[in-house]
Structures are given as structure tokens and as C-alpha cells.
């Protein structure tokens, strides 16, 4: 990771200069950043995105004093004045017990949701989302809006069913997941033709990049059912790699930052956003702190959208 000096944390490392609070002490309606470095890695067990939560928090420090400033991407202050923004730190990763990692994530999310919190997930690879989505789906019926270069519908990879290429297939198996809108697929990922067929047969609405360019961002947000709570699953490789180079699933032809702003505001106009997951950032692959600043900005956007939904 290369961070230039303005992005280095001056002191504390909580997201956006927030207060660090234990999960069981968060206030109702609070937006809560939570770092999840890993859950179910493939192969050797090494984490792809293990340093991402710290990198995002570090990049956010410079913006902490400006939380009340007008945010033109949101049409108001980044965080409305009454917003409680907290940071509950990281969920521990155990390289020898992936099932325990998943159980820890799911119970932590269940506790946050039962307290009326709006979690902002700082991942971690895509696998960390599976237990978080399980907790959301047990808490209330949800729509998943995934932005990703990949559809993540493999049933297993290397015998592992809970890894980063299986996130959306596992989520589709949770009874509380009532709809899925998948935006940004392009090029070749891990999906086989049968995976795409299975996703469509299960009712997933796949808006690949060609469709998105043909029909527009408004078409994509209009595919989100009105009213039902939404969890945003944002894999940063959904953006073009020239925008966020710090990734592993390289796929040219992706979304720009402004596309994400328009898309997410369109989703927020249709349904409350109750969870925001930001995954798959690899600080070690970043170029000159270009990507980390945009990923930090996406996390800030997520916080602002969660705060607005929690308030309404
Ligand atoms: Mn991806």
C-alpha cells in the first residue's frame, strides 16, 4: 500500500473521525462502520483484502472534520446533523476456523440489526458478505442490489461453498432475500453458462454492462422493487479499474464514480437502504493512493445514504 502524506491518520483510526463503540452499546438509528478483514478465503487461507478496512479508515481521517459540509453527491450535508456515526472496530479473523469467522460475523450483524443500527461494512473480500446477508435476511425481507464485475453464482470453488465467488448464490438461498438486482457484469469471470442460467431462473435481474449502456442507469434503479429494504453489495471491481486499480478481478469497461452516485441515489429514491457493504479493495494493488481515495469516498457516500434511510 502506498498512501501519500495527507491520507495518513493523524491520530485515531476510527472511520471518519467517529467514536469507537462496542457493538452492544450502539444507539438506535446509528450508522455503524464495521471492519471485516476476512471470512472464508480460498487456498492457502491468505487474505486478499485483509488490510482494506485500515486503509479506508486511514484515508477517511482527512474528511472527519468536514462531516457537516454540503455534499453535492447527496444534495445536503454528508451526514444530517442528528446522525450518530460510530465505528465498532474489526471483527476478528481466524485463519484456522472459517465457520467460526462466519458465525462471528452473523451474530455481530444480528446484534447490530436488533439494536436498530445501519451497518457500513468495510471489507474484506466478497465472502465476508455472506454471513452479513444471512443476518439481514433473518431480520427482515430484503432486496440485494449488487454492483460487481462478477455475478458470484458459483456453487463451489475448490470445494468451498462459502467463498467469494459464491456470495450471490448463497444469498439467494436465504428465505428473506426476496429480490436481487445485479449490475455491472462484464468480460469473463468465474461464472459458467449454467451459473448465469441458474441466477436468471432464480429470479435475479442481471443488468450487465452492455445492457446498462443500452438502457441507462435509470433502468437499473427502476428494477429495484419499491419500498422493501435494500442492502447494497458494492464490490469495487464493479468500477472501472482505472478508477479503482486496487483489485484482483481485473475487468475493463466498468462503472465510473459518477455512475455509482446516480445509481445509488436512484435506488435510495425507491427504497430504504439499510445496509451498505464495500468489499474487494486490495490496497497492495492500488496505484499512488488513487483507488483508496475513491473507495473512501464510496464509504462516505454509503454512510450518507444509510443516515438518510435511518432517519426517514
Ligand atoms: Mn467482483
Amino acid at each position: 500500500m502506498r498512501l501519500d502524506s495527507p491520507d495518513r491518520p493523524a491520530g485515531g483510526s476510527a472511520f471518519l473521525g467517529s467514536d469507537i463503540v462496542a457493538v452492544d452499546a450502539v444507539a438506535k438509528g446509528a450508522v455503524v462502520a464495521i471492519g471485516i478483514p476476512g471470512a472464508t478465503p480460498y487456498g492457502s487461507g491468505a487474505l486478499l483484502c485483509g488490510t482494506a478496512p485500515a486503509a479506508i479508515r486511514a484515508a477517511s481521517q482527512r474528511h472527519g472534520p468536514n462531516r457537516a459540509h454540503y455534499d453535492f453527491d447527496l444534495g445536503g450535508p454528508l451526514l444530517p446533523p442528528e446522525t450518530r456515526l460510530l465505528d465498532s472496530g474489526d471483527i476478528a479473523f481466524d485463519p484456522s476456523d472459517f465457520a467460526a469467522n462466519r458465525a462471528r460475523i452473523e451474530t455481530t450483524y444480528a446484534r447490530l440489526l436488533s439494536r436498530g443500527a445501519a451497518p457500513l461494512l468495510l471489507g474484506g473480500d466478497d465472502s465476508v458478505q455472506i454471513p452479513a446477508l444471512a443476518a439481514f435476511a433473518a431480520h427482515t425481507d430484503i432486496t440485494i442490489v449488487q454492483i460487481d464485475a462478477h455475478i458470484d453464482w458459483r456453487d463451489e470453488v475448490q470445494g468451498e461453498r462459502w467463498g467469494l465467488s459464491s456470495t450471490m448464490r448463497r444469498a439467494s438461498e436465504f428465505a428473506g432475500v426476496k429480490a436481487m438486482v445485479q449490475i455491472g457484469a462484464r468480460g469473463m469471470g468465474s461464472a459458467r453458462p449454467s451459473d448465469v442460467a441458474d441466477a436468471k431462473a432464480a429470479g435475479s435481474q442481471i443488468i450487465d454492462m452492455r445492457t446498462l449502456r443500452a438502457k441507462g442507469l435509470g433502468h437499473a434503479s427502476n428494477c429495484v422493487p419499491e419500498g422493501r429494504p435494500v442492502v447494497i453489495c458494492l464490490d469495487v471491481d464493479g468500477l472501472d479499474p482505472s478508477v479503482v486499480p486496487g483489485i484482483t478481478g481485473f475487468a475493463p469497461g466498468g462503472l465510473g464514480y459518477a455512475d455509482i452516485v446516480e445509481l445509488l441515489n436512484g435506488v435510495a429514491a425507491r427504497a430504504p437502504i439499510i445496509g451498505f457493504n464495500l468489499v474487494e479493495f486490495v490496497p497492495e494493488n492500488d496505484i499512488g493512493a488513487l483507488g483508496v481515495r475513491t473507495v473512501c469516498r464510496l464509504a462516505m457516500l454509503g454512510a450518507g445514504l444509510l443516515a438518510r434511510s435511518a432517519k426517514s
Side-chain angles (χ1 to χ4, degrees):
M1 175 174 59
R2 291 174 55 204
L3 283 179
D4 56 11
S5 53
D7 282 334
R8 287 191 190 282
S13 58
F15 179 67
L16 215 53
S18 57
D19 297 324
I20 296 188
V21 171
V23 166
D24 289 323
V26 303
K28 184 165 171 47
V31 176
V32 182
I34 184 140
I36 311 185
T40 316
Y42 294 131
S44 68
L47 292 180
L48 278 178
C49 308
T51 62
I56 297 167
R57 287 191 180 101
S60 76
Q61 297 309 307
R62 65 196 310 201
H63 302 293
N66 308 333
R67 287 161 46 169
H69 288 197
Y70 194 92
D71 190 318
F72 285 89
D73 294 344
L74 291 163
L78 172 69
L79 299 175
E82 65 276 31
T83 303
R84 294 279 328 261
L85 176 68
L86 306 170
D87 188 331
S88 285
D90 284 358
I91 298 178
F93 170 74
D94 181 345
S96 66
D97 193 343
F98 301 163
N101 294 332
R102 295 191 293 271
R104 201 155 38 238
I105 294 166
E106 187 169 348
T107 47
T108 302
Y109 260 72
R111 282 153 60 200
L112 284 170
L113 296 173
S114 73
R115 300 189 66 85
L120 173 67
L121 192 169
L122 308 177
D125 69 32
D126 256 312
S127 74
V128 308
Q129 294 195 93
I130 301 174
L133 290 167
F136 276 112
H139 179 71
T140 182
D141 287 350
I142 58 169
T143 294
I144 288 176
V145 175
Q146 180 217 28
I147 301 169
D148 197 320
H150 314 98
I151 63 167
D152 296 345
W153 267 78
R154 288 291 297 275
D155 190 44
E156 55 82 25
V157 173
Q158 301 168 16
E160 177 57 73
R161 302 180 74 245
W162 302 93
L164 62 88
S165 293
S166 302
T167 304
M168 291 299 139
R169 187 185 286 266
R170 291 289 88 76
S172 77
E173 295 164 352
F174 303 144
V177 175
K178 298 299 185 189
M180 188 178 287
V181 182
Q182 303 193 248
I183 303 163
R186 59 192 188 269
M188 293 196 306
S190 66
R192 313 301 202 253
S194 61
D195 297 322
V196 180
D198 288 351
K200 289 180 176 171
S204 173
Q205 301 178 80
I206 297 178
I207 303 164
D208 59 32
M209 283 306 296
R210 293 169 62 207
T211 304
L212 190 70
R213 290 302 176 214
K215 296 192 172 179
L217 295 161
H219 165 74
S221 47
N222 285 338
C223 287
V224 176
E226 286 187 280
R228 186 193 301 123
V230 166
V231 177
I232 301 291
C233 297
L234 176 47
D235 176 331
V236 298
D237 72 26
L239 287 99
D240 193 77
S242 63
V243 179
V244 179
I247 48 153
T248 53
F250 186 88
L255 292 151
Y257 171 76
D259 296 327
I260 303 278
V261 171
E262 184 175 341
L263 194 52
L264 293 181
N265 276 316
V267 172
R270 289 180 68 82
I273 295 173
I274 63 166
F276 195 99
N277 304 343
L278 197 51
V279 296
E280 290 283 326
F281 178 54
V282 184
E284 293 79 4
N285 292 354
D286 201 4
I287 298 174
L290 172 67
V292 74
R293 293 184 180 206
T294 299
V295 173
C296 172
R297 179 62 213 162
L298 291 166
M300 293 166 66
L301 193 64
L305 289 167
L306 289 171
R308 281 160 172 75
S309 287
K311 167 166 128 13
S312 60

